[in-house]
Amino acid sequence: MAIENRYEFLFYIQCRNGNPNGDPDMGNCPRTDPQDLHGYITDGAIKRRIRNYVQTAYADADGMQMLVRSASNINTGIARAKELAGMELSAKGKNAVYAGRRKACELFYDVRTFGAVMSTGPNAGQVRGPVQLSFARSLDPIQSLDISITRMANAVEVKDAKSAADYESWEAKQAEDTLRTMGRKQLIPYGLYEAHGFISANLAQETGFDEKDLRALFEAILNMYEHDRSASKGEMSVITPLVIFRHTGTDSDLEQRKRQARLGCASAHRLFELVQVEKKPEIAFARSWRDYQATIRLDARPAGVDVGFLCSPYGEIVWNAVPEDAELFR
């Protein structure tokens, strides 16, 4: 059964001595607002890591496959969805497209969650997903560094080499310095990024996004960088808690309350403004999440909205009270 409550949520991503999200149009430099020098992480980069985690953690579970996978053709998944729906791949009518769309929602977690454009190739239409993410933005300006590095080897194609012995012979004749090469790395010393998410109960009715999918999403967000380690990503982590706003409604009439829970009881920006994270006054340059202090005004939460805190990927959501293990709120 699809979720029946609207949600918003926010979380914080820490990057230390790494490149949180390089811009290929700028030599892979960390993405930066040119006016105020705050950093960005795109929604696509975050979704990629959520997909990767769910694909790893739920590899054998029904309905938890991914349509968008690394080095794959999306049309392959679209074709499989239409075939399992009992439709010819060449069928372009409304019924055939809708059947493929419905089956894709059943098969693929990312389609059910984020939506997808599947009007290519075999054509299964388009799905607007109930879960949408904003760009994450750093709380303070970031300092982008471009660092030279030395690689103690090179990779040269040796003309007419036909065996490993030919390469070894060529290598023995070279001066030591010519077998080294230079490279570059782009990074930031530190950045704490805030990201916002939105979940529509109305769109969830169309895709079948349910409570199990919701919990898998929250689990993936808190765990996504734990399984994405690389030198370029540095020490990246999602700092707990994940803050969740759940709309529940206020009306005494049950049906009207359900309607309020689906449509929402307050605007998203008002809810996000309940949380304030600021650098501690004695800190000039932050180098840890411990250099920040978070506050939340639970007393100012709108009627009909619960505020939840998730401090562990596998823990329980604590509603309307800040738990003791909430790192940023210590």
Side-chain angles (χ1 to χ4, degrees), residues 19 34 52 117 138 145 149 179 184 199 211 238 285 290-291 301 330:
N19 188 345
N52 289 347
V117 176
S138 67
L145 304 178
I149 59 173
L179 295 175
R184 309 196 73 79
I199 306 176
E211 292 291 340
V238 175
F285 301 102
R290 292 180 177 85
D291 294 333
R301 64 186 175 91
R330 289 177 182 173

Side-chain angles (χ1 to χ4, degrees), residues 151-154 156 170-172 174-181:
R151 187 169 73 165
M152 301 305 294
N154 63 17
V156 176
W170 175 88
E171 184 179 309
Q174 309 306 307
E176 183 178 341
D177 288 345
T178 65
L179 295 175
R180 299 191 183 101
T181 188

Side-chain angles (χ1 to χ4, degrees), residues 275-288:
V275 181
Q276 295 293 325
V277 181
E278 296 179 339
K279 194 165 54 181
K280 295 177 180 178
E282 68 272 19
I283 301 298
F285 301 102
R287 291 296 182 266
S288 167

Side-chain angles (χ1 to χ4, degrees), residues 3 11 14 18 23 59 75 86 117 144 158 163 185 192 215 253 300 316 319 327 330:
I3 61 170
F11 57 97
Q14 171 180 265
D23 185 347
N75 287 337
V117 176
S144 180
V158 177
S163 66
K185 281 193 173 184
L192 186 64
R215 194 50 198 255
D253 180 84
E316 294 298 321
W319 293 102
E327 293 174 328
R330 289 177 182 173

Side-chain angles (χ1 to χ4, degrees), residues 24-296:
D25 291 330
M26 296 293 289
N28 206 43
C29 287
R31 298 179 189 273
T32 307
D33 184 325
Q35 292 183 313
D36 64 12
L37 301 182
H38 286 244
Y40 285 118
I41 302 174
T42 67
D43 63 315
I46 299 171
K47 289 177 183 177
R48 175 72 270 152
R49 280 152 189 83
I50 292 173
R51 286 186 174 99
N52 289 347
Y53 177 81
V54 173
Q55 194 172 3
T56 299
Y58 296 91
D60 300 323
D62 292 338
M64 302 300 280
Q65 301 172 50
M66 295 294 152
L67 177 68
V68 181
R69 293 170 289 114
S70 178
S72 66
N73 185 349
I74 291 175
N75 287 337
T76 304
I78 299 172
R80 186 150 63 88
K82 289 192 73 170
E83 285 180 348
L84 291 175
M87 296 293 170
E88 296 288 338
L89 299 189
S90 59
K92 304 296 183 183
K94 181 178 179 180
N95 291 340
V97 170
Y98 184 77
R101 178 181 181 272
R102 183 172 54 197
K103 181 57 68 173
C105 287
E106 293 176 10
L107 289 174
F108 303 115
Y109 177 83
D110 56 343
V111 175
R112 202 164 57 247
T113 304
F114 303 127
V117 176
M118 300 181 291
S119 51
T120 60
N123 190 2
Q126 299 184 25
V127 177
R128 187 178 177 191
V131 179
Q132 301 298 327
L133 297 170
S134 69
F135 279 27
R137 177 180 169 84
S138 67
L139 300 182
D140 292 298
I142 61 170
Q143 177 64 57
S144 180
L145 304 178
D146 186 18
I147 296 177
S148 298
I149 59 173
T150 302
R151 187 169 73 165
M152 301 305 294
N154 63 17
V156 176
E157 187 69 27
V158 177
K159 187 177 180 180
D160 299 327
K162 297 180 180 179
S163 66
D166 291 337
Y167 277 95
E168 291 170 358
S169 175
W170 175 88
E171 184 179 309
K173 299 174 183 177
Q174 309 306 307
E176 183 178 341
D177 288 345
T178 65
L179 295 175
R180 299 191 183 101
T181 188
M182 300 296 293
R184 309 196 73 79
K185 281 193 173 184
Q186 294 75 30
L187 58 87
I188 61 172
Y190 186 79
L192 186 64
Y193 293 73
E194 179 177 301
H196 296 168
F198 311 85
I199 306 176
S200 166
N202 295 312
L203 292 175
Q205 305 298 315
E206 297 182 17
T207 70
F209 183 85
D210 60 17
E211 292 291 340
K212 177 184 174 183
D213 295 328
L214 179 70
R215 194 50 198 255
L217 173 70
F218 293 155
E219 176 188 331
I221 288 172
L222 289 182
N223 256 335
M224 61 184 174
Y225 288 109
E226 303 304 319
H227 301 271
D228 188 51
R229 300 298 182 191
S230 68
S232 67
K233 289 294 172 287
E235 298 177 43
M236 292 195 68
S237 304
V238 175
I239 306 302
T240 60
L242 175 66
V243 183
I244 304 163
F245 302 98
R246 178 178 66 185
H247 298 257
T248 58
T250 60
D251 204 281
S252 57
D253 180 84
L254 183 59
E255 290 304 315
Q256 181 63 15
R257 181 176 291 186
K258 287 183 177 179
R259 181 175 181 274
Q260 291 174 339
R262 288 195 305 271
L263 296 178
C265 299
S267 59
H269 77 273
R270 281 188 59 200
L271 299 177
F272 293 139
E273 287 172 357
L274 295 177
V275 181
Q276 295 293 325
V277 181
E278 296 179 339
K279 194 165 54 181
K280 295 177 180 178
E282 68 272 19
I283 301 298
F285 301 102
R287 291 296 182 266
S288 167
W289 62 266
R290 292 180 177 85
D291 294 333
Y292 292 86
Q293 178 63 51
T295 58
I296 182 167

Side-chain angles (χ1 to χ4, degrees), residues 241 308-311 316 318-319 321-327 329-330:
F309 302 86
L310 183 60
C311 295
E316 294 298 321
V318 177
W319 293 102
V322 180
E324 293 183 358
D325 55 344
E327 293 174 328
F329 291 88
R330 289 177 182 173

